[in-house]
Amino acid sequence: MDNCIFCKIVAGDIPSNKVYEDDKILCFRDIAPMAPVHLLVIPKEHIPSADHITNDNADIVAHIFATIPLIAKAEGISESGYRIITNHGDDARQSVKHLHFHVLAGKQLPENMG
Ligand code: 5GP
Ligand code: ZN
């Protein structure tokens, strides 16, 4: 989709620090990490946010969640733990309107999520 930063990363028009890639999804390091490990996992297909997940596109979300444990193992964070977050809309402060799952790890994360 035009003017979508993450679609440009998928297309290779904007560089990223890639951690994992297959034909459907991409994982790369967040440019402004909020934890020692801060990954973003995205579908290559443009889906605006979690509010746009339907039975027609939910397969990609299942694939993302089936792949995160493999990525976590490679990153060495399976045992210590990690947090998965996705934001939708202004109140959640979604800044990039392309569905993405933050994977945060590498320290004890804040107790307060809201
Ligand atoms: P949101 O606030 O939408 O949930 O998260 C968007 C995330 O994307 C932010 O954590 C931000 O740092 C990250 N981000 C924004 N632009 C870029 C970029 O060009 N490259 C990378 N690697 N991360 C980005
Ligand atoms: Zn996009």
Side-chain angles (χ1 to χ4, degrees):
M1 190 190 181
D2 291 350
N3 291 325
C4 171
I5 295 172
F6 287 177
C7 281
K8 287 180 181 169
I9 285 176
V10 169
D13 295 339
I14 293 176
S16 68
N17 197 338
K18 284 182 195 174
V19 171
Y20 173 89
E21 181 172 20
D22 64 28
D23 56 330
K24 294 190 184 71
I25 68 174
L26 181 63
C27 174
F28 52 97
R29 297 190 193 280
D30 197 292
I31 204 167
M34 292 182 143
V37 177
H38 187 168
L39 310 174
L40 299 171
V41 190
I42 70 169
K44 289 189 169 179
E45 164 193 3
H46 182 87
I47 298 171
S49 78
D51 198 52
H52 296 77
I53 298 168
T54 66
N55 281 320
D56 289 334
N57 64 18
D59 284 4
I60 196 74
V61 179
H63 180 54
I64 284 172
F65 273 80
T67 305
I68 285 174
L70 308 177
I71 296 169
K73 192 172 182 197
E75 288 287 306
I77 57 174
S78 302
E79 296 301 320
S80 48
Y82 53 89
R83 181 174 287 166
I84 304 171
I85 295 173
T86 192
N87 296 316
H88 161 67
D90 292 343
D91 277 1
R93 299 183 186 270
Q94 182 187 7
S95 59
V96 178
K97 310 300 192 226
H98 181 129
L99 178 64
H100 52 281
F101 296 89
H102 299 257
V103 178
L104 296 153
K107 69 172 186 181
Q108 185 127 67
L109 297 164
E111 196 175 359
N112 186 345
M113 289 211 294

